[in-house]
Amino acid sequence: MLKPILWPVLAPSLLFAVGIGAILPVMVLGALQLGSSASFAAAIVGIMGAVSLAATVPAGMLIDRLGDFRAMLVATATAVVVLGGIVAAFIWDSPASLILYTVGLMLFAPVSDVWNLARQAVVAEVMPPQDLAKAMTALGGTQRVGNLVGPIVGAGLMLIFPLWSVFVLSALAAVAAIIIMALPIARIPGYPDRGSAGTEASAHAGDGADISKDPTLAEEVAGHPHKPPRPRLEVRWKAVVLVGISIIALTVARSAQPVVIQLWGIDIGLRESSISLLIAFGAGLELVFMFLGAYIKDHLGRVATLVACLTIFGSGFVVMVLVPSLSGMVIAVAIMAVGNGLGAGVNMTIGADLSPAIGRARFLGIWAIFSNGGKLGGPALISLVITLASLRFGILFPGLFAILGAVWVLIWAKQIGLPGRMRRG
């Protein structure tokens, strides 16, 4: 079932996810080590979200032009260079190190976006509709495995080596992903890796009758033989906006989760390696509930999955505030993991459900605005709330916002019209 995407998408995605999973628990800790305040350390993650938001649509257009696999290769190679710069910020150890570190993370954000959009476009294009939810869940599962393996390996490294060794691990994982994508086994038979000019030209060539029947289109193609007209995206934009608001709530919670765990862990006196292992514990639980999430997406529908994910995930933040202790933190992380595991791949699945057959990469770039908006809003709002109020209020905010997102998508479920309960005939 998943064989067509195993080597070209899932295997390199797993390696890339291990690299990201390794650095995720130390992004805030790295800033603190370089002399940042707690509020600015949280804001750095928000800055990454701002850069991602600004680069979202250009990333989709870049993928549309380069082709999916070429874009993945370019993004991975760029990630290696950026991670090398981040390592240099630690080794250099100067007053400008924090600036270099921040700039490196800002550059890493759009690189990661290109990778994620390209792999999502490949899966949406290659997999048949009946297997799409399972494929997107498997794709989301690679991120969860990365969030499990990466922090565990990173914690082991930090027991022996400095914190920057985790970024070296991430760069090596990206290099391994490049090697796999270059292997013959990673090629999908019959799948052209062309940009929009190639794919859309072939689409028009295979539909000559439509060109002959449409004088305007025929005139445009004749006037621009090397650059066919970019087709209009046939999308239900009202549904996109309505469900996109709940996706913002989900990504606010997801981007806030590692930030609040790191800040709260430092606040109650945990070591960096212990915080990394705690995040790995949550990622392991997510893997367990990921399979239940796949079943819910296929049999109960996308909305039911999103509601369960947001409600349970958001409750974990509330528990962390209500039980201010190490045991409370462990319970809260477990609750978050259950909710986030149920929602594995739900964002990508809904994006694929709403995406058009022509111009899919362009649409997914637009669709990613919602998730990248959440990546910006989560850490930025936490930083603001911590500055104006306290750390506890900063933790509570994303949890309540996620629960409101669940209520929102329930209210508008009929207008959104996503695939629902599977009926047996």
Side-chain angles (χ1 to χ4, degrees):
M1 180 181 63
L2 300 178
K3 187 177 179 181
I5 60 171
L6 176 60
W7 290 106
V9 179
L10 295 182
S13 293
L14 177 60
L15 288 167
F16 201 77
V18 167
I20 294 179
I23 66 175
L24 195 62
V26 300
M27 285 183 180
V28 172
L29 300 178
L32 294 174
Q33 188 176 106
L34 292 174
S36 167
S37 65
S39 59
F40 183 73
I44 287 177
V45 183
I47 294 171
M48 292 177 65
V51 175
S52 291
L53 184 61
T56 295
V57 175
M61 296 173 65
L62 177 66
I63 297 167
D64 213 25
R65 289 298 179 187
L66 291 181
D68 305 324
F69 286 109
R70 290 191 188 97
M72 290 168 71
L73 283 168
V74 169
T76 311
T78 306
V80 174
V81 176
V82 171
L83 289 166
I86 291 175
V87 172
F90 286 96
I91 297 176
W92 186 19
D93 193 18
S94 77
S97 292
L98 181 59
I99 297 175
L100 180 59
Y101 178 78
T102 305
V103 170
L105 291 181
M106 287 173 62
L107 293 175
F108 189 79
V111 167
S112 180
D113 286 341
V114 170
W115 170 274
N116 290 329
L117 289 174
R119 68 175 188 163
Q120 186 179 348
V122 173
V123 174
E125 191 72 29
V126 170
M127 299 304 295
Q130 65 270 22
D131 294 329
L132 184 59
K134 296 183 181 67
M136 289 299 184
T137 299
L139 193 57
T142 61
Q143 186 64 53
R144 269 97 189 141
V145 173
N147 288 343
L148 170 63
V149 176
I152 291 176
V153 177
L157 284 174
M158 286 187 290
L159 290 175
I160 304 172
F161 302 104
L163 186 145
W164 55 260
S165 62
V166 176
F167 293 93
V168 175
L169 168 66
S170 184
L172 293 176
V175 170
I178 293 175
I179 293 173
I180 287 183
M181 285 188 290
L183 295 176
I185 196 174
R187 298 183 182 276
I188 300 177
Y191 182 79
D193 187 26
R194 294 190 295 264
S196 62
T199 53
E200 289 170 15
S202 62
H204 290 312
D207 195 12
D210 288 343
I211 294 177
S212 64
K213 292 177 182 179
D214 190 339
T216 304
L217 181 59
E219 183 179 348
E220 289 184 9
V221 172
H224 304 277
H226 300 294
K227 189 177 181 181
R230 187 182 293 267
R232 181 184 177 188
L233 294 176
E234 298 294 334
V235 177
R236 295 187 297 118
W237 291 111
K238 181 180 178 180
V240 169
V241 173
L242 288 175
V243 75
I245 292 172
S246 289
I247 294 299
I248 290 175
L250 175 59
T251 50
V252 162
R254 283 178 169 173
S255 62
Q257 181 191 22
V259 175
V260 301
I261 290 175
Q262 291 172 70
L263 292 177
W264 193 250
I266 291 293
D267 193 65
I268 63 176
L270 295 181
R271 297 176 58 185
E272 289 100 339
S273 57
S274 300
I275 294 172
S276 189
L277 289 175
L278 188 61
I279 292 177
F281 160 71
L285 277 183
E286 287 180 15
L287 281 174
V288 175
F289 286 92
M290 178 184 73
F291 301 102
L292 177 59
Y295 178 87
I296 294 175
K297 277 198 289 289
D298 276 338
H299 292 79
L300 299 181
R302 296 4 176 190
V303 170
T305 306
L306 187 56
V307 168
C309 169
L310 286 168
T311 304
I312 300 173
F313 196 12
S315 300
F317 291 87
V318 178
V319 169
M320 187 176 289
V321 174
L322 294 179
V323 189
S325 64
L326 175 58
S327 59
M329 187 173 181
V330 172
I331 294 171
V333 169
I335 294 173
M336 292 178 189
V338 173
N340 204 20
L342 291 176
V346 68
N347 178 23
M348 294 183 291
T349 304
I350 293 174
D353 288 334
L354 297 172
S355 66
I358 303 298
R360 194 185 304 274
R362 273 189 293 143
F363 169 77
L364 292 176
I366 297 170
W367 172 249
I369 290 175
F370 296 102
S371 58
N372 286 336
K375 290 178 185 177
L376 165 63
L381 288 172
I382 288 175
S383 176
L384 179 62
V385 174
I386 290 174
T387 302
L388 298 178
S390 67
L391 179 58
R392 283 180 171 82
F393 282 106
I395 294 171
L396 188 61
F397 170 80
L400 296 178
F401 190 39
I403 295 171
L404 288 175
V407 175
W408 173 270
V409 76
L410 267 180
I411 292 173
W412 295 102
K414 289 185 178 180
Q415 286 83 351
I416 294 170
L418 291 172
R421 182 186 296 271
M422 181 183 293
R423 296 182 179 178
R424 302 183 183 275

